[in-house]
Amino acid sequence: MADSGAQDAQDSQNRSKALWGGRFASGPSPELVALSRSTHFDWRLATYDLLQTRAHAGVLRSADLLTQEEYSAINAAIEQLGTELAAGQVGPGEDDEDVHTGVERILVERLGALGGKLRAGRSRNDQIATDFRLYLRTQARAIAGVLAELQSALIDQATEHIDSAAPGFTHLQRAQPVSFGHELAKHVHAFSRDLDRLADWDARTAVSPLGSGALSGSALPLDPEKVAAELGFESAAENSIDAVSDRDFVAEFLFVTALVGVHLSRLGEEVCLWTSKEFGWAKLHDSWSTGSSIMPQKKNPDIAELARGKAGRLIGDLTGLLATLKGLPFAYNRDLQEDKEPAFDAVDTLMVLTPAVTGMIATLEFDTERMAQSAPGGHALATEIADWLVVKGVPFRSAHEIAGACVKVADDQGVELWELDDQALLGVSPELDAGVREVLSVHGALATRKTVGGTGPESVRRQISRLAESNKRTIQWATEQPVANAPTWLG
């Protein structure tokens, strides 16, 4: 039987390390300790917890709750700990319940009772909400940076292939000839919307919960707006209950990352098609593909396939969090401990996946001759006949019927549209004189698509120029640190 005195001593020691426990007669059970511990994943927030601790110390000093001597000692300890955290020289202890417990424990060990003054006016509830916003605002810029690099690779390839013709598809069936640069640029637009969403998200997330306490604010004469400004937020939260329980910013972040995953997946699917022997449009670089353990001839698009697979994981991160949030009452509930791992996973997934996709795209070699030969096949120029007739004054309804009849004649003769002779064309309609041959070629078809958004080379050049300018702005935003005058140890 265990020594009750020894157990009481151990319980007392455990309670002294925790940020709670005064009203409890005994310490938590080992099973509860194991379930509650989160330092194995939330320690990555340690520098952000220390950053907001530094800001909090400043408002405590402004409120005369710390003397100048005390503030100086605390600030020195914070700077030293920040440097050590950045260098990976210090980590959580075995008995630390979470990142807040660990950071406070270290400061108390170094500052003594003075370190305990830092808890005044704060709760783990507003601390974690603040830490998490700081972390995700930084990571949003990191994700934007790697997406911008992918955009750059796509823009380079698109620029090179503005004048390369390729079949365009709907329903995965040949539809109309397009500029292959236009095909590649469509992916840049998808990622541009993701980047716009990240910037919009950042503006909504730039609200500081610090000062909200557990749920009701603080009776101490603190200044939430001042600490918000120091931490790079645009304002302090106006409702303390909402501030500590709001995880919309996490859910929205995960929606954006899930959609990025979907866009990476769609790009990956096209690479799988392009590099197949059946298409034969593109060749993977050896450094960005793999082989088979049994079939020596294989060259597999693993990066493209993993882009498809990781999309499911990113979608799962989002749906898992939404399921956690859906039944929670306001304010803080411990269920919210489950918000961090999905977000961490989404960040880690995109930061590994996106550079790999970038390398794959940048090194793809395209068979432009094969694409050009395929571009007009499958009667893909039929719409050109209809549009040409419309210009001559034929109602589109009639023009569509005439073009369809041309397709039938070509099918019956086993030829392509441009191979129909003049007699066959006039047999379909007297409107189909020799002038129609101006558009019965890929070059002629592309040249007519000059409008904004069109696939004509002239339009595509303008499009890519605008995308390149937008890409430069993204790169600039991605390099900006959301916290002004951030310490070097924040990273």
Side-chain angles (χ1 to χ4, degrees):
M1 188 172 181
D3 185 326
S4 60
Q7 182 62 52
D8 289 345
Q10 182 63 48
D11 288 346
S12 176
Q13 183 180 10
N14 289 340
R15 290 196 303 277
S16 69
K17 293 178 180 177
L19 300 185
W20 54 275
R23 60 92 66 213
F24 288 82
S26 65
S29 68
E31 291 81 4
L32 176 56
V33 169
L35 179 63
S36 298
R37 183 175 293 123
S38 60
T39 52
H40 57 288
F41 60 81
D42 69 12
W43 191 252
R44 71 169 71 190
L45 299 176
T47 53
Y48 300 95
D49 198 70
L50 194 62
L51 178 70
Q52 55 118 322
T53 296
R54 187 181 76 161
H56 185 63
V59 296
L60 289 175
R61 172 68 192 108
S62 297
D64 290 327
L65 296 173
L66 291 174
T67 67
Q68 183 58 46
E69 182 180 359
E70 289 174 327
Y71 173 70
S72 297
I74 287 172
N75 201 50
I78 287 172
E79 294 304 309
Q80 178 62 35
L81 178 54
T83 301
E84 293 171 7
L85 284 170
Q89 296 172 346
V90 63
E94 290 185 5
D95 297 325
D96 291 335
E97 183 178 8
D98 53 35
V99 62
H100 320 296
T101 309
V103 169
E104 181 173 305
R105 172 187 56 78
I106 295 170
L107 290 173
V108 169
E109 288 175 353
R110 298 182 180 188
L111 292 166
L114 176 58
K117 287 193 172 186
L118 289 168
R119 202 190 306 175
R122 286 194 300 175
S123 163
R124 287 188 295 181
N125 297 358
D126 61 346
Q127 280 185 262
I128 191 56
T130 303
D131 291 355
F132 210 6
R133 285 174 185 256
L134 290 168
Y135 169 83
L136 288 181
R137 293 189 71 205
T138 301
Q139 297 307 311
R141 286 162 172 77
I143 291 170
V146 294
L147 283 177
E149 291 173 3
L150 174 55
Q151 284 188 311
S152 295
L154 285 164
I155 289 169
D156 288 345
Q157 289 278 25
T159 302
E160 185 176 344
H161 294 96
I162 291 173
D163 295 306
S164 300
F169 294 86
T170 65
H171 307 278
L172 205 56
Q173 306 294 315
R174 292 187 191 181
Q176 293 176 271
V178 295
S179 156
F180 193 62
H182 196 53
E183 281 278 356
L184 291 166
K186 74 190 180 203
H187 294 290
V188 185
H189 285 284
F191 293 123
S192 291
R193 292 191 296 273
D194 293 327
L195 290 162
D196 287 344
R197 277 183 277 268
L198 280 175
D200 291 343
W201 167 88
D202 184 69
R204 278 187 293 280
T205 305
V207 177
S208 173
L210 199 60
S212 297
L215 81 161
S216 62
S218 176
L220 302 177
L222 305 180
D223 189 345
E225 290 289 353
K226 179 180 180 181
V227 78
E230 183 172 342
L231 293 173
F233 293 111
E234 295 299 320
S235 63
E238 293 192 353
N239 187 297
S240 57
I241 301 174
D242 178 60
V244 298
S245 55
D246 167 34
R247 290 301 184 272
D248 290 4
F249 71 97
V250 189
E252 187 178 354
F253 178 84
L254 290 176
F255 170 76
V256 177
T257 56
L259 199 52
V260 170
V262 168
H263 291 148
L264 289 169
S265 178
R266 296 183 75 177
L267 174 59
E269 170 63 10
E270 293 201 339
V271 170
C272 289
L273 292 172
W274 296 340
T275 58
S276 68
K277 291 297 182 183
E278 287 69 25
F279 267 70
W281 289 10
K283 180 181 178 182
L284 292 161
H285 191 280
D286 287 354
S287 298
W288 302 93
S289 58
T290 66
S292 166
S293 61
I294 191 172
M295 295 168 283
Q297 83 281 8
K298 292 295 294 296
K299 194 171 189 179
N300 298 325
D302 279 24
I303 293 172
E305 293 172 350
L306 286 168
R308 290 186 314 203
K310 297 293 186 183
R313 180 177 186 139
L314 291 162
I315 293 168
D317 289 332
L318 169 62
T319 56
L321 178 65
L322 291 175
T324 297
L325 296 177
K326 73 172 185 65
L328 291 186
F330 287 63
Y332 184 85
N333 297 272
R334 192 59 181 273
D335 313 50
L336 292 177
Q337 180 170 301
E338 299 302 309
D339 63 350
K340 283 167 282 300
E341 287 181 285
F344 295 159
D345 180 72
V347 169
D348 293 344
T349 297
L350 287 180
M351 293 304 292
V352 171
L353 173 61
T354 311
V357 174
T358 299
M360 175 186 67
I361 292 297
T363 55
L364 278 177
E365 295 179 13
F366 293 100
D367 188 338
T368 55
E369 183 177 345
R370 183 178 177 116
M371 287 191 291
Q373 289 173 350
S374 303
H379 308 311
L381 298 172
T383 306
E384 309 311 315
I385 296 175
D387 286 346
W388 182 82
L389 287 167
V390 168
V391 172
K392 289 189 67 177
V394 178
F396 186 78
R397 186 179 185 88
S398 299
H400 187 282
E401 292 294 326
I402 293 171
C406 290
V407 170
K408 186 177 187 308
V409 171
D411 273 343
D412 290 343
Q413 295 185 13
V415 298
E416 289 288 352
L417 288 172
W418 68 88
E419 295 176 314
L420 291 173
D421 58 28
D422 291 348
Q423 183 178 356
L425 289 169
L426 288 170
V428 173
S429 170
E431 299 285 353
L432 292 174
D433 57 45
V436 75
R437 297 198 181 280
E438 296 175 6
V439 296
L440 283 179
S441 69
V442 171
H443 174 76
L446 295 182
T448 61
R449 310 283 169 176
K450 298 178 181 179
T451 56
V452 173
T455 193
E458 182 181 329
S459 176
V460 175
R461 283 189 178 87
R462 293 194 301 266
Q463 170 193 181
I464 291 176
S465 177
R466 289 190 292 269
L467 287 172
E469 288 301 314
S470 176
N471 181 250
K472 289 178 183 177
R473 292 191 294 271
T474 294
I475 292 171
Q476 176 61 39
W477 184 76
T479 60
E480 294 173 357
Q481 166 60 256
V483 180
N485 302 315
T488 56
W489 46 262
L490 186 60

